[in-house]
Amino acid sequence: MRKLPPLNAVRAFEAAARHESFTAAANELCVTVTAISHQVRQLEAILGRKLFERSGRAVVLTAEGHAVFPLLRDGFDRMASAFAAIRPPVDGDAITVSTTRAFAERWLMPRLTRFNAAFPHLVVHIDATEEIRAPGADGVDLAVRYGRADRAGENSVLFSDRYVAVAASAICPPDGRLAIDDLRSRSLLAFRWKNAALDSPAWSAWLAGSDHDPGRDFRISWYSEEPLALHAAERGLGPLLCSDALVDEQLREGTLRRLDGPALPGFAYRLVDAPAAARRKSVTAFVDWLRGEAAAFRTAPQQVMSRAA
Protein backbone atom coordinates (compact mmCIF):
# COMPACT_ATOMS: atom_id res chain seq x y z
CA MET A 1 0.00 0.00 0.00
CA ARG A 2 1.45 3.36 -1.05
CA LYS A 3 2.06 5.87 1.70
CA LEU A 4 1.11 9.23 0.18
CA PRO A 5 0.38 12.69 1.58
CA PRO A 6 -3.17 14.01 1.01
CA LEU A 7 -3.63 14.30 -2.75
CA ASN A 8 -5.38 17.69 -2.47
CA ALA A 9 -2.25 19.07 -0.81
CA VAL A 10 0.01 17.49 -3.45
CA ARG A 11 -2.16 18.90 -6.23
CA ALA A 12 -2.11 22.38 -4.67
CA PHE A 13 1.69 22.29 -4.41
CA GLU A 14 2.13 21.10 -8.02
CA ALA A 15 -0.13 23.84 -9.40
CA ALA A 16 1.55 26.55 -7.29
CA ALA A 17 5.01 25.36 -8.34
CA ARG A 18 4.07 25.19 -12.03
CA HIS A 19 2.63 28.71 -12.03
CA GLU A 20 5.08 30.07 -9.43
CA SER A 21 2.01 31.72 -7.95
CA PHE A 22 -0.55 30.79 -5.29
CA THR A 23 -3.09 33.06 -7.00
CA ALA A 24 -2.76 31.34 -10.38
CA ALA A 25 -2.94 27.93 -8.68
CA ALA A 26 -6.11 28.97 -6.89
CA ASN A 27 -7.68 30.12 -10.17
CA GLU A 28 -6.80 26.84 -11.86
CA LEU A 29 -8.18 24.67 -9.06
CA CYS A 30 -11.21 26.92 -8.41
CA VAL A 31 -10.38 27.47 -4.73
CA THR A 32 -9.21 30.45 -2.69
CA VAL A 33 -5.62 31.57 -2.30
CA THR A 34 -5.99 30.85 1.42
CA ALA A 35 -6.94 27.25 0.64
CA ILE A 36 -3.83 26.81 -1.54
CA SER A 37 -1.62 28.28 1.18
CA HIS A 38 -3.22 25.99 3.79
CA GLN A 39 -2.75 22.89 1.63
CA VAL A 40 0.90 23.72 0.95
CA ARG A 41 1.59 24.33 4.64
CA GLN A 42 -0.08 21.02 5.46
CA LEU A 43 2.19 19.25 2.99
CA GLU A 44 5.26 21.01 4.38
CA ALA A 45 4.27 19.96 7.90
CA ILE A 46 3.86 16.32 6.85
CA LEU A 47 7.23 16.30 5.04
CA GLY A 48 9.05 18.34 7.65
CA ARG A 49 10.56 20.45 4.84
CA LYS A 50 9.86 23.90 3.44
CA LEU A 51 8.84 23.73 -0.21
CA PHE A 52 8.47 27.47 -0.86
CA GLU A 53 10.19 30.63 0.29
CA ARG A 54 7.56 33.34 0.74
CA SER A 55 8.26 37.04 0.30
CA GLY A 56 5.09 39.11 0.21
CA ARG A 57 3.04 37.81 -2.71
CA ALA A 58 6.02 36.13 -4.37
CA VAL A 59 6.71 32.42 -3.87
CA VAL A 60 9.95 30.69 -4.87
CA LEU A 61 10.69 26.98 -4.68
CA THR A 62 13.29 25.85 -2.15
CA ALA A 63 15.90 23.25 -3.05
CA GLU A 64 13.54 20.56 -1.70
CA GLY A 65 10.67 22.00 -3.74
CA HIS A 66 12.80 21.99 -6.90
CA ALA A 67 13.69 18.35 -6.25
CA VAL A 68 10.14 17.07 -5.92
CA PHE A 69 8.25 19.32 -8.38
CA PRO A 70 9.41 17.77 -11.71
CA LEU A 71 8.48 14.28 -10.49
CA LEU A 72 5.01 15.39 -9.41
CA ARG A 73 4.45 17.39 -12.62
CA ASP A 74 5.37 14.39 -14.76
CA GLY A 75 3.18 12.16 -12.61
CA PHE A 76 0.14 14.40 -13.06
CA ASP A 77 0.83 14.62 -16.80
CA ARG A 78 0.87 10.81 -17.02
CA MET A 79 -2.38 10.56 -15.08
CA ALA A 80 -4.00 13.14 -17.35
CA SER A 81 -2.77 11.24 -20.41
CA ALA A 82 -4.13 7.95 -19.05
CA PHE A 83 -7.62 9.35 -18.54
CA ALA A 84 -7.54 11.29 -21.82
CA ALA A 85 -6.86 8.04 -23.67
CA ILE A 86 -10.18 6.54 -22.53
CA ARG A 87 -12.29 9.68 -22.20
CA PRO A 88 -14.97 9.95 -24.90
CA PRO A 89 -14.57 12.96 -27.21
CA VAL A 90 -16.49 16.12 -26.43
CA ASP A 91 -18.31 18.10 -29.15
CA GLY A 92 -17.71 15.31 -31.66
CA ASP A 93 -13.96 15.22 -32.10
CA ALA A 94 -12.64 18.45 -30.57
CA ILE A 95 -9.14 19.93 -30.35
CA THR A 96 -8.18 22.61 -27.84
CA VAL A 97 -5.28 24.82 -28.91
CA SER A 98 -3.63 27.31 -26.57
CA THR A 99 -1.66 30.27 -27.87
CA THR A 100 -1.24 34.00 -27.41
CA ARG A 101 -4.11 36.31 -28.26
CA ALA A 102 -2.11 38.08 -30.98
CA PHE A 103 -1.09 34.86 -32.77
CA ALA A 104 -4.60 33.44 -32.52
CA GLU A 105 -6.24 36.60 -33.85
CA ARG A 106 -3.73 37.64 -36.51
CA TRP A 107 -2.22 34.40 -37.89
CA LEU A 108 -4.24 31.35 -36.89
CA MET A 109 -7.86 32.54 -37.24
CA PRO A 110 -7.49 33.89 -40.81
CA ARG A 111 -6.36 30.41 -41.86
CA LEU A 112 -8.87 28.31 -39.90
CA THR A 113 -11.49 28.44 -42.65
CA ARG A 114 -9.17 26.26 -44.74
CA PHE A 115 -8.89 23.71 -41.91
CA ASN A 116 -12.66 23.70 -41.39
CA ALA A 117 -13.18 23.11 -45.11
CA ALA A 118 -10.74 20.19 -45.12
CA PHE A 119 -11.94 18.67 -41.83
CA PRO A 120 -15.59 19.70 -41.35
CA HIS A 121 -16.15 16.99 -38.70
CA LEU A 122 -13.48 18.41 -36.36
CA VAL A 123 -14.10 21.20 -33.86
CA VAL A 124 -11.25 23.54 -32.87
CA HIS A 125 -11.36 25.39 -29.54
CA ILE A 126 -8.96 28.35 -29.21
CA ASP A 127 -7.65 29.22 -25.74
CA ALA A 128 -6.05 32.65 -26.31
CA THR A 129 -4.04 33.72 -23.28
CA GLU A 130 -0.64 35.08 -22.29
CA GLU A 131 -0.48 32.45 -19.53
CA ILE A 132 1.32 29.17 -20.22
CA ARG A 133 -1.23 26.38 -20.40
CA ALA A 134 0.20 22.91 -19.83
CA PRO A 135 -1.00 20.49 -22.54
CA GLY A 136 -2.67 17.50 -20.93
CA ALA A 137 -3.00 19.08 -17.49
CA ASP A 138 -5.13 22.13 -18.37
CA GLY A 139 -7.57 20.56 -20.83
CA VAL A 140 -5.29 21.66 -23.68
CA ASP A 141 -4.29 19.27 -26.46
CA LEU A 142 -1.78 21.48 -28.21
CA ALA A 143 0.01 24.77 -27.51
CA VAL A 144 1.75 27.17 -29.88
CA ARG A 145 4.38 29.02 -27.88
CA TYR A 146 6.71 31.87 -28.72
CA GLY A 147 10.33 32.06 -27.67
CA ARG A 148 13.94 31.46 -28.59
CA ALA A 149 14.47 28.87 -31.31
CA ASP A 150 17.56 27.47 -29.59
CA ARG A 151 15.43 26.44 -26.61
CA ALA A 152 13.14 24.23 -28.68
CA GLY A 153 13.71 20.97 -30.48
CA GLU A 154 14.10 21.44 -34.22
CA ASN A 155 11.05 19.32 -34.97
CA SER A 156 8.82 21.46 -32.76
CA VAL A 157 9.51 24.77 -34.53
CA LEU A 158 6.78 25.96 -36.91
CA PHE A 159 8.65 29.03 -38.15
CA SER A 160 10.69 32.00 -36.97
CA ASP A 161 9.50 35.54 -37.51
CA ARG A 162 11.09 38.88 -38.31
CA TYR A 163 10.27 42.36 -37.02
CA VAL A 164 9.36 44.98 -39.61
CA ALA A 165 7.97 48.50 -39.45
CA VAL A 166 4.48 48.95 -40.89
CA ALA A 167 1.93 51.73 -41.17
CA ALA A 168 -1.67 52.08 -42.34
CA SER A 169 -1.89 52.70 -46.09
CA ALA A 170 -4.31 55.56 -45.40
CA ILE A 171 -1.55 57.70 -43.84
CA CYS A 172 1.18 56.79 -46.36
CA PRO A 173 2.19 58.63 -49.54
CA PRO A 174 0.44 56.92 -52.47
CA ASP A 175 3.48 55.97 -54.55
CA GLY A 176 7.09 54.90 -54.30
CA ARG A 177 9.18 53.71 -51.38
CA LEU A 178 7.97 54.50 -47.90
CA ALA A 179 10.54 56.02 -45.52
CA ILE A 180 10.13 56.68 -41.81
CA ASP A 181 10.63 60.41 -42.47
CA ASP A 182 7.46 60.35 -44.61
CA LEU A 183 5.56 59.85 -41.35
CA ARG A 184 7.45 62.43 -39.28
CA SER A 185 4.25 63.89 -37.86
CA ARG A 186 3.22 60.57 -36.29
CA SER A 187 4.38 58.96 -33.05
CA LEU A 188 6.08 55.60 -33.27
CA LEU A 189 3.90 52.87 -31.74
CA ALA A 190 5.22 50.24 -29.34
CA PHE A 191 3.83 47.70 -26.88
CA ARG A 192 5.09 46.42 -23.55
CA TRP A 193 6.22 42.80 -23.63
CA LYS A 194 4.75 40.39 -21.11
CA ASN A 195 7.64 37.92 -21.32
CA ALA A 196 10.56 39.41 -19.42
CA ALA A 197 12.82 36.54 -20.58
CA LEU A 198 12.79 37.85 -24.18
CA ASP A 199 14.54 40.99 -25.34
CA SER A 200 12.03 42.66 -27.61
CA PRO A 201 13.27 44.15 -30.90
CA ALA A 202 13.39 47.92 -30.35
CA TRP A 203 12.79 50.98 -32.50
CA SER A 204 16.35 52.13 -31.71
CA ALA A 205 17.76 49.04 -33.44
CA TRP A 206 15.44 49.48 -36.42
CA LEU A 207 16.28 53.18 -36.80
CA ALA A 208 20.00 52.38 -36.65
CA GLY A 209 19.59 50.29 -39.81
CA SER A 210 17.27 52.64 -41.71
CA ASP A 211 17.78 55.74 -43.83
CA HIS A 212 16.37 58.67 -41.86
CA ASP A 213 17.18 62.16 -40.66
CA PRO A 214 19.60 61.55 -37.74
CA GLY A 215 18.92 64.98 -36.29
CA ARG A 216 15.26 64.25 -35.73
CA ASP A 217 13.84 62.92 -32.47
CA PHE A 218 11.03 60.38 -32.51
CA ARG A 219 8.20 60.17 -30.01
CA ILE A 220 7.00 56.73 -28.89
CA SER A 221 3.40 56.00 -27.91
CA TRP A 222 3.25 52.92 -25.66
CA TYR A 223 0.45 50.34 -25.46
CA SER A 224 0.01 47.80 -22.68
CA GLU A 225 -1.04 44.98 -25.05
CA GLU A 226 0.30 43.82 -28.41
CA PRO A 227 -3.16 43.52 -30.06
CA LEU A 228 -3.94 47.12 -29.05
CA ALA A 229 -0.77 48.37 -30.74
CA LEU A 230 -1.62 46.40 -33.89
CA HIS A 231 -5.12 47.88 -33.98
CA ALA A 232 -3.66 51.36 -33.41
CA ALA A 233 -1.36 50.94 -36.41
CA GLU A 234 -4.29 49.81 -38.59
CA ARG A 235 -6.21 52.90 -37.55
CA GLY A 236 -3.42 55.20 -38.69
CA LEU A 237 -2.14 56.34 -35.31
CA GLY A 238 1.46 55.77 -36.41
CA PRO A 239 4.01 53.21 -37.60
CA LEU A 240 4.54 50.04 -35.57
CA LEU A 241 7.53 47.68 -35.27
CA CYS A 242 6.00 44.20 -35.10
CA SER A 243 6.26 40.55 -36.09
CA ASP A 244 5.78 40.01 -39.82
CA ALA A 245 3.66 36.94 -38.98
CA LEU A 246 1.06 39.14 -37.31
CA VAL A 247 0.61 41.55 -40.23
CA ASP A 248 0.96 39.11 -43.14
CA GLU A 249 -2.72 39.27 -44.08
CA GLN A 250 -2.89 43.07 -43.85
CA LEU A 251 0.25 43.53 -45.99
CA ARG A 252 -1.14 41.25 -48.69
CA GLU A 253 -4.49 43.02 -48.65
CA GLY A 254 -2.81 46.42 -48.75
CA THR A 255 -4.35 47.87 -45.59
CA LEU A 256 -0.83 48.08 -44.14
CA ARG A 257 2.40 48.97 -45.92
CA ARG A 258 5.93 48.14 -44.91
CA LEU A 259 8.40 50.95 -44.34
CA ASP A 260 11.75 50.91 -46.11
CA GLY A 261 14.19 49.57 -43.53
CA PRO A 262 15.67 46.45 -41.91
CA ALA A 263 13.94 43.25 -40.85
CA LEU A 264 15.13 42.49 -37.32
CA PRO A 265 15.51 38.87 -36.17
CA GLY A 266 12.56 37.71 -34.09
CA PHE A 267 11.78 34.48 -32.29
CA ALA A 268 10.25 31.06 -33.00
CA TYR A 269 6.69 29.77 -32.87
CA ARG A 270 6.86 26.17 -31.70
CA LEU A 271 4.46 23.31 -30.98
CA VAL A 272 4.00 21.65 -27.60
CA ASP A 273 1.54 18.78 -27.27
CA ALA A 274 0.33 16.33 -24.66
CA PRO A 275 1.62 12.75 -25.21
CA ALA A 276 -1.88 11.26 -25.21
CA ALA A 277 -3.28 13.99 -27.47
CA ALA A 278 -0.45 13.55 -29.97
CA ARG A 279 -1.68 10.01 -30.66
CA ARG A 280 -5.19 11.16 -31.62
CA LYS A 281 -5.89 11.32 -35.33
CA SER A 282 -7.67 14.66 -34.96
CA VAL A 283 -4.63 16.28 -33.33
CA THR A 284 -2.29 14.71 -35.88
CA ALA A 285 -4.45 16.12 -38.68
CA PHE A 286 -4.40 19.60 -37.13
CA VAL A 287 -0.61 19.51 -36.59
CA ASP A 288 0.01 18.39 -40.18
CA TRP A 289 -2.28 21.15 -41.45
CA LEU A 290 -0.58 23.73 -39.21
CA ARG A 291 2.87 22.73 -40.47
CA GLY A 292 1.65 23.03 -44.05
CA GLU A 293 0.31 26.54 -43.40
CA ALA A 294 3.58 27.53 -41.70
CA ALA A 295 5.62 26.27 -44.66
CA ALA A 296 3.38 28.13 -47.11
CA PHE A 297 3.71 31.33 -45.07
CA ARG A 298 7.50 31.20 -45.05
CA THR A 299 7.91 30.25 -48.73
CA ALA A 300 5.40 32.80 -50.09
CA PRO A 301 6.83 36.06 -51.52
CA GLN A 302 7.32 38.46 -48.63
CA GLN A 303 6.33 42.12 -48.54
CA VAL A 304 9.88 43.52 -48.35
CA MET A 305 8.91 47.05 -49.36
CA SER A 306 5.69 49.01 -49.67
CA ARG A 307 3.19 47.60 -52.16
CA ALA A 308 3.92 50.29 -54.70
CA ALA A 309 7.72 49.89 -54.54
Side-chain angles (χ1 to χ4, degrees):
M1 184 175 181
R2 295 183 179 89
K3 188 174 182 180
L4 297 172
L7 290 181
N8 281 344
V10 176
R11 192 180 182 201
F13 164 74
E14 189 275 339
R18 176 160 36 84
H19 290 292
E20 297 182 342
S21 165
F22 281 12
T23 300
N27 291 336
E28 176 183 319
L29 300 179
C30 299
V31 298
T32 65
V33 176
T34 301
I36 293 292
S37 178
H38 174 76
Q39 294 283 6
V40 170
R41 289 187 186 279
Q42 180 186 16
L43 184 60
E44 289 176 327
I46 293 171
L47 298 176
R49 296 284 190 275
K50 286 189 67 175
L51 300 174
F52 287 104
E53 292 291 350
R54 299 164 176 82
S55 177
R57 294 185 178 182
V59 291
V60 180
L61 285 168
T62 63
E64 290 80 3
H66 274 294
V68 72
F69 167 60
L71 300 175
L72 293 177
R73 178 197 59 206
D74 293 346
F76 277 110
D77 285 347
R78 285 194 292 272
M79 283 192 288
S81 297
F83 287 113
I86 63 172
R87 185 182 296 121
V90 179
D91 296 334
D93 203 349
I95 307 162
T96 299
V97 182
S98 179
T99 188
T100 64
R101 178 185 165 192
F103 184 79
E105 179 183 335
R106 312 288 299 206
W107 195 92
L108 182 56
M109 286 174 56
R111 292 166 169 81
L112 272 181
T113 53
R114 292 197 284 271
F115 179 81
N116 292 338
F119 301 93
H121 61 290
L122 299 181
V123 178
V124 179
H125 301 309
I126 303 297
D127 178 23
T129 176
E130 303 305 317
E131 297 180 5
I132 295 178
R133 304 289 197 205
D138 293 334
V140 171
D141 300 310
L142 182 72
V144 180
R145 293 185 180 156
Y146 187 60
R148 300 188 186 282
D150 56 8
R151 295 185 180 179
E154 183 177 351
N155 291 334
S156 71
V157 174
L158 279 174
F159 61 84
S160 294
D161 64 358
R162 297 182 287 268
Y163 276 70
V164 297
V166 300
S169 296
I171 65 171
C172 297
D175 300 310
R177 299 166 70 92
L178 178 60
I180 188 69
D181 286 335
D182 293 329
L183 303 174
R184 61 174 58 91
S185 63
R186 310 279 176 167
S187 296
L188 306 181
L189 307 180
F191 57 90
R192 303 193 185 280
W193 281 51
K194 301 299 183 184
N195 190 341
L198 298 179
D199 296 325
S200 60
W203 272 114
S204 57
W206 188 91
L207 290 168
S210 68
D211 184 14
H212 70 282
D213 180 0
R216 176 175 173 262
D217 291 331
F218 289 90
R219 302 169 300 173
I220 295 183
S221 178
W222 288 94
Y223 288 78
S224 62
E225 305 287 341
E226 186 175 17
L228 290 178
L230 288 161
H231 291 312
E234 289 176 324
R235 283 157 177 75
L237 296 182
L240 173 67
L241 182 63
C242 61
S243 167
D244 62 346
L246 304 184
V247 292
D248 176 63
E249 182 182 34
Q250 291 72 25
L251 288 173
R252 297 187 188 285
E253 292 177 348
T255 56
L256 290 177
R257 286 174 58 188
R258 181 175 167 187
L259 278 66
D260 186 17
L264 303 180
F267 302 99
Y269 289 95
R270 68 187 195 279
L271 292 173
V272 182
D273 56 30
R279 294 191 291 269
R280 287 168 44 199
K281 292 182 179 180
S282 57
V283 176
T284 300
F286 186 82
V287 168
D288 290 344
W289 170 82
L290 198 60
R291 290 191 183 282
E293 290 289 331
F297 164 65
R298 267 296 164 240
T299 55
Q302 296 298 303
Q303 297 283 347
V304 294
M305 295 296 171
S306 65
R307 289 178 62 89

